[in-house]
């Protein structure tokens, strides 16, 4: 047991706590974080791929939206709400800055839903360009159903160049700003639609590196305790070697004679 006493020294105790905490984080936080991202990305990719071949359906048949309806192509007939346009700022489309233009749309016989009409490029110094108003007459639009985004933490809506601007497409927040009771989901227009602007591209169907990152964190969580055990075992082996008495070197005949009769000079 004396050989194991070194494990209770402050340095080894601190190292053990660090390794245990790291392994715990790997299995409970880091790996699930990356694997969760992989699950969400894969699900979204499957939804986008399915929407490419699925026939459009009336949006009222999918509201309130289920998780499987994300990106589904839909149609809606109704009219845009005049004077209720809001901009989503600090967006990036095809690698360049953009505003996304959001306008409530009243569905005939149904709810009011937010419509992302597409994007416009900012002018110099991020100024808002001239934005064509939506049609004032009843229209039928085709779009993709999208989930509302979370509110941007710590970023309140602002008003610049005469336009109210938000940092995320959160239907609840936009509803408060426009005085409309909006559906939880919103619509993203496809090409050649009434009131449409720059068409927002679909995300790339790429699963990303999240699965491999998740597996790596699991591996790190396994290897860290193994590494600690290896170092402890090596320390014990070294202490065993240090505790062994050194073996006496064999005494030669010359040394015996020298000890008895003295060395010749």
């Amino acid at each position: 047991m004396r050989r194991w006493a070194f494990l209770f020294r402050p340095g080894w105790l601190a190292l053990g706590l660090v390794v245990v905490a790291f392994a715990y984080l790997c299995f409970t936080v880091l790996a699930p974080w990356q694997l969760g991202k992989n699950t969400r990305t894969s699900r979204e990719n499957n939804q986008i791929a399915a929407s490419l071949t699925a026939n459009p359906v009336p949006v009222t048949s999918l509201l309130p939206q289920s998780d499987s309806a994300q990106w589904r192509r839909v149609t809606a007939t109704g009219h845009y709400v005049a004077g209720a346009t809001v901009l989503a700022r600090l967006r990036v489309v095809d690698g360049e800055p953009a505003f996304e233009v959001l306008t409530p749309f009243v569905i005939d016989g149904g709810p009011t839903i937010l419509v992302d009409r597409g994007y416009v490029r900012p002018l110099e110094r991020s100024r808002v360009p001239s934005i064509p108003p939506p049609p004032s007459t009843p229209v039928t639009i085709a779009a993709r159903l999208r989930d509302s985004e979370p509110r941007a933490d710590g970023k309140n809506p602002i008003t610049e160049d005469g336009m109210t601007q938000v940092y995320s497409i959160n239907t609840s927040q936009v509803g408060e700003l426009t005085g409309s009771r909006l559906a939880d989901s919103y619509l993203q227009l496809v090409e050649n639609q009434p009131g449409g602007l720059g068409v927002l591209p679909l995300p790339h169907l790429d699963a990303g590196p999240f699965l491999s990152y998740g597996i790596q964190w699991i591996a790190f969580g396994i290897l860290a305790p193994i590494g600690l055990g290896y170092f402890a075992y090596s320390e014990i082996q070294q202490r065993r070697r240090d505790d062994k008495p050194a073996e006496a070197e064999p005494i030669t005949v010359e040394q015996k004679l020298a000890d008895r009769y003295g060395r010749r000079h």
Side-chain angles (χ1 to χ4, degrees):
M1 291 299 296
R2 188 175 57 184
R3 294 194 184 100
W4 295 85
F6 72 93
L7 293 175
F8 297 96
R9 292 179 180 175
W12 278 94
L13 288 175
L15 179 60
L17 289 174
V18 169
V19 169
V20 170
F22 175 73
Y24 177 81
L25 287 175
C26 285
F27 287 114
T28 62
V29 177
L30 298 173
W33 171 46
Q34 293 296 332
L35 294 176
K37 280 187 174 182
N38 178 73
T39 300
R40 290 190 296 271
T41 302
S42 298
R43 181 179 61 186
E44 186 172 85
N45 288 345
N46 292 335
Q47 291 170 339
I48 294 173
S51 74
L52 297 176
T53 56
N55 293 324
V57 297
V59 66
T60 51
S61 67
L62 298 177
L63 294 178
Q65 180 187 359
S66 63
D67 291 340
S68 60
Q70 168 88 313
W71 296 104
R72 183 68 186 272
R73 292 193 299 170
V74 297
T75 58
T77 299
H79 64 274
Y80 289 99
V81 178
T85 293
V86 173
L87 300 182
R89 62 185 281 114
L90 302 181
R91 314 295 280 194
V92 177
V93 180
D94 293 331
E96 296 183 13
F99 292 106
E100 292 184 35
V101 182
L102 314 172
T103 305
F105 186 89
V106 181
I107 301 172
D108 291 345
T112 300
I113 192 167
L114 185 65
V115 173
D116 187 337
R117 296 166 53 198
Y119 70 91
V120 292
R121 298 295 184 191
L123 300 177
E124 185 181 2
R125 297 181 182 177
S126 300
R127 293 176 52 202
V128 178
S130 176
I131 299 174
S136 58
T137 57
V139 293
T140 297
I141 58 175
R144 294 182 182 277
L145 195 59
R146 297 292 312 277
D147 290 334
S148 177
E149 298 176 0
R151 294 196 186 205
D153 291 336
K155 294 184 177 181
N156 296 322
I158 63 172
T159 300
E160 286 187 359
D161 299 323
M163 296 293 298
T164 301
Q165 303 177 27
V166 294
Y167 290 88
S168 65
I169 305 178
N170 180 271
T171 56
S172 176
Q173 185 179 59
V174 176
E176 294 170 2
L177 296 172
T178 60
S180 305
R181 186 175 181 179
L182 299 176
D184 292 336
S185 307
Y186 73 94
L187 299 181
Q188 178 179 303
L189 290 183
V190 299
E191 63 277 358
N192 302 320
Q193 297 303 308
L197 301 168
V199 179
L200 294 165
L202 291 174
H204 295 293
L205 298 181
D206 182 5
F210 306 122
L211 178 60
S212 61
Y213 287 167
I215 294 174
Q216 286 176 11
W217 284 121
I218 291 174
F220 291 155
I222 295 173
L223 291 175
I226 293 176
L228 178 63
Y230 172 77
F231 286 124
Y233 174 78
S234 298
E235 180 71 15
I236 291 171
Q237 293 298 103
Q238 182 61 45
R239 288 173 180 272
R240 284 177 177 173
R241 287 192 292 268
D242 293 343
D243 290 343
K244 275 186 177 181
E247 294 184 0
E249 294 183 359
I251 300 176
T252 63
V253 174
E254 290 79 3
Q255 288 174 327
K256 290 181 178 180
L257 294 174
D259 291 339
R260 178 174 297 182
Y261 302 110
R263 296 181 181 275
R264 292 184 179 180
H265 297 284

